[in-house]
Amino acid sequence: MPGHAFMRLSMVLISFTFVAVMFGCARSKSDLNADTRIEANTDPNVFSLPHPEQFPVVEVELRKVTDELHVNGVIAPDVNRSVPVVSLGGGRVVEIKAKLGDSVRRGQTLLLIDSPDLSQAFSDYQKFKADEQLAAKQLARAQLLYDKGAIALAALETAQDVDDKARVDAQTAARRIKVMGGDINNPSPLLPVVAPISGTIVDQQTTGGTGVKSLDNSPNLFTIADLSTVWVICDVYEDKLSHVRVGDTAEITLNAYPDEQFAGKVINISEVLDSATRSAKVRIELPNPKGLMRAGMFVTARFKGKQSIERVVIPATAVVHLHDKDWVFIPVGGKQFRRVALQLGPQTSDGYVQVISGLKTQDKVAANALQLSSAAEEQ
């Protein structure tokens, strides 16, 4: 029995020793982990990089600049220089002599209409002309008889009145033919519709064989616009309207000719905002001596402020566009950079961009934001 008791005691001591050793090892390992644990970064806009020296930084600059506003617009004809073409006589179009996009001269025939109205006008003129000739003969006869005392003065006055009315009727009929576009010396049912001004046909609403109603053309047969001066129509949002004033000069760049700039003048700012877009229509008058501007062209309009202000500028390469925002990376010590959102202004000609908000003087930013952003995503 004593031997068995000694063996049980030995087994207990061995088990106790093993448990103590395991507990000590586990505690040592736990202490080691506690000593070497790295606190995780919970700010999604702070990035740690193993080699931050690969990303040089630049200090922001303070410059005197003028506020600029860039908006998109479209070329439109000047309505004061646009004239609808109508026919004062009804009928059917028998020949089209001009088409949409053609340049035309004032008085040039655009189309011919076989017009019953013109035929009726010629008929009335010929009748009134015959009545005028008859009245003139009757007046001459009455004058002769009155001079010989054969008729009373009242009879002569009646003949004079008939002659005056016949002359007025003939003159009115002739004027009607002329207004309609006919020629009293060349009676014809073909009514020519001519261009009222010189310019470009910007709209055509008729074709050969089309019926035309007298004084009830809806839409117009043609619209001719003088494009020597055009309008630029652009939308300016409500919060940017303070940048635009009537009389300001706007620099216009055509999408078709991006290397050329043209100077226009703001002539109107709408008094009513579009309820859907919260923007107002701004109208710019733009000379078009070379005929480069065509109706419907897209343009970019740039409005400049009249006073210079001091504003922070940074290289355009220091900005990266992510998630519909513009960001820069600011060093915050050690190997970390903080990503900061900005509100940007226009870009300058030397590759710098204005910063409206988000940075202040003496701040530093990574010179190449796109490269740093790509490196941060790989970590």
Side-chain angles (χ1 to χ4, degrees):
M1 286 297 294
H4 290 290
F6 176 77
M7 291 181 63
R8 284 197 297 271
L9 180 60
S10 298
M11 294 296 292
V12 171
L13 291 174
I14 292 172
S15 299
F16 178 77
T17 302
F18 178 76
V19 171
V21 171
M22 293 299 294
F23 178 75
C25 291
R27 188 164 179 263
S28 299
K29 186 176 182 180
S30 177
D31 291 342
L32 181 61
N33 288 339
D35 294 339
T36 61
R37 183 182 298 119
I38 299 175
E39 185 174 344
N41 175 31
T42 59
D43 189 342
N45 288 322
V46 175
F47 301 92
S48 297
L49 300 173
H51 301 287
E53 67 278 359
Q54 296 179 353
F55 306 99
V57 297
V58 294
E59 187 171 338
V60 302
E61 297 182 21
L62 192 64
R63 292 185 183 179
K64 282 191 173 183
V65 296
T66 55
D67 267 337
E68 292 185 2
L69 175 64
H70 294 244
V71 296
N72 295 325
V74 64
I75 297 290
D78 182 345
V79 297
N80 299 315
R81 299 170 180 266
S82 301
V83 178
V85 178
V86 298
S87 172
L88 298 182
R92 186 170 297 280
V93 177
V94 294
E95 185 178 358
I96 298 286
K97 292 181 174 291
K99 60 184 182 298
L100 181 65
D102 286 354
S103 294
V104 296
R105 301 179 308 277
R106 181 177 181 178
Q108 178 179 335
T109 300
L110 305 179
L111 55 83
L112 294 175
I113 299 174
D114 188 355
S115 174
D117 292 337
L118 183 59
S119 298
Q120 183 63 46
F122 275 118
S123 175
D124 293 341
Y125 171 73
Q126 291 168 352
K127 290 178 182 178
F128 290 136
K129 195 66 177 175
D131 291 343
E132 179 188 15
Q133 292 172 354
L134 177 60
K137 293 179 181 179
Q138 291 175 344
L139 176 60
R141 187 180 303 112
Q143 183 67 52
L144 179 61
L145 293 175
Y146 176 76
D147 292 341
K148 294 183 178 182
I151 61 174
L153 178 61
L156 176 62
E157 291 175 343
T158 299
Q160 183 67 55
D161 180 64
V162 171
D163 180 70
D164 292 342
K165 290 180 179 178
R167 188 181 304 108
V168 169
D169 288 341
Q171 291 174 350
T172 301
R175 190 176 301 112
R176 182 187 177 199
I177 292 173
K178 184 176 180 180
V179 169
M180 290 179 66
D183 182 2
I184 58 175
N185 298 318
N186 183 26
S188 171
L190 295 181
L191 172 61
V193 177
V194 300
I197 63 170
S198 298
T200 302
I201 298 177
V202 295
D203 185 42
Q204 177 180 345
Q205 298 294 336
T206 187
T207 57
T210 303
V212 177
K213 296 181 180 179
S214 174
L215 296 178
D216 188 25
N217 298 287
S218 181
N220 303 315
L221 301 177
F222 297 98
T223 300
I224 299 176
D226 177 5
L227 298 181
S228 61
T229 298
V230 296
W231 283 351
V232 173
I233 307 296
C234 52
D235 294 316
V236 177
Y237 290 109
E238 180 179 7
D239 59 341
K240 301 296 185 182
L241 280 175
S242 61
H243 293 72
V244 185
R245 291 170 293 273
V246 174
D248 282 357
T249 299
E251 292 185 0
I252 307 300
T253 303
L254 305 179
N255 288 7
Y257 304 96
D259 297 330
E260 297 189 52
Q261 289 187 340
F262 306 89
K265 182 180 180 181
V266 178
I267 60 173
N268 180 265
I269 301 174
S270 174
E271 298 291 338
V272 180
L273 290 181
D274 187 312
S275 58
T277 62
R278 306 303 302 171
S279 63
K281 296 289 185 184
V282 174
R283 189 162 70 240
I284 303 167
E285 188 176 66
L286 185 65
N288 184 26
K290 297 181 180 179
L292 296 179
M293 296 84 167
R294 294 173 170 82
M297 275 186 169
F298 289 110
V299 306
T300 300
R302 181 173 66 174
F303 303 94
K304 286 187 176 182
K306 294 188 176 182
Q307 295 181 346
S308 296
I309 58 174
E310 287 190 337
R311 181 164 290 164
V312 168
V313 297
I314 57 175
T317 57
V319 181
V320 63
H321 189 79
L322 297 170
H323 312 299
D324 294 329
K325 291 184 179 180
D326 295 304
W327 305 84
V328 293
F329 292 91
I330 299 177
V332 292
K335 299 181 179 182
Q336 293 183 328
F337 286 84
R338 179 183 295 278
R339 186 173 63 183
V340 177
L342 304 179
Q343 181 184 356
L344 298 180
Q347 186 168 335
T348 62
S349 58
D350 58 352
Y352 279 72
V353 63
Q354 299 180 25
V355 179
I356 307 299
S357 64
L359 289 177
K360 58 184 182 298
T361 55
Q362 298 181 348
D363 280 344
K364 295 182 179 181
V365 297
N368 194 319
L370 180 60
Q371 183 180 359
L372 194 151
S373 178
S374 300
E377 291 177 358
E378 295 175 357
Q379 300 303 314

